[in-house]
Amino acid sequence: MSLRRSLASTLGVVLLGLGLPLATPSGAAADPCGFYKTGSDAYYNHCTSDGSNVVIEVDVRGPNYERCVGPGRSWLGSSGRIKGAFYTGRTC
């Protein structure tokens, strides 16, 4: 058995023993929690299990603004226009 194959097998056994997944679900990588950009769009994904709405501050070229977002993904605009967004600590 080659060293590479042996190391891969050992790593797989260790991860399974720790209860860690060997791969992440495809949805987890597609929509991370919080602010993220795709090639052309900017989003804020409010990950919650309680159904709450929160206030985020959207950092844009120009004056920032606040917005109330519900659970799940909210489109913020063009990725070239939006620099970031963050939770303000308030619900709405």
Side-chain angles (χ1 to χ4, degrees):
M1 182 183 282
S2 73
L3 179 60
R4 175 185 268 170
R5 182 173 280 166
S6 177
L7 288 175
S9 295
T10 302
L11 180 60
V13 169
V14 169
L15 290 175
L16 285 173
L18 293 173
L20 299 174
L22 294 177
T24 59
S26 61
D31 292 336
C33 296
F35 175 75
Y36 68 96
K37 290 183 179 184
T38 64
S40 60
D41 297 301
Y43 296 93
Y44 189 88
N45 189 20
H46 175 41
C47 298
T48 183
S49 60
D50 66 5
S52 63
N53 293 335
V54 296
V55 178
I56 62 170
E57 183 172 331
V58 182
D59 184 7
V60 295
R61 298 178 197 268
N64 292 354
Y65 64 91
E66 290 186 345
R67 178 173 169 183
C68 179
V69 297
R73 182 175 71 165
S74 297
W75 182 75
L76 301 178
S78 165
S79 62
R81 185 176 170 285
I82 308 294
K83 294 194 271 181
F86 58 91
Y87 172 56
T88 64
R90 301 188 327 259
T91 58
C92 51

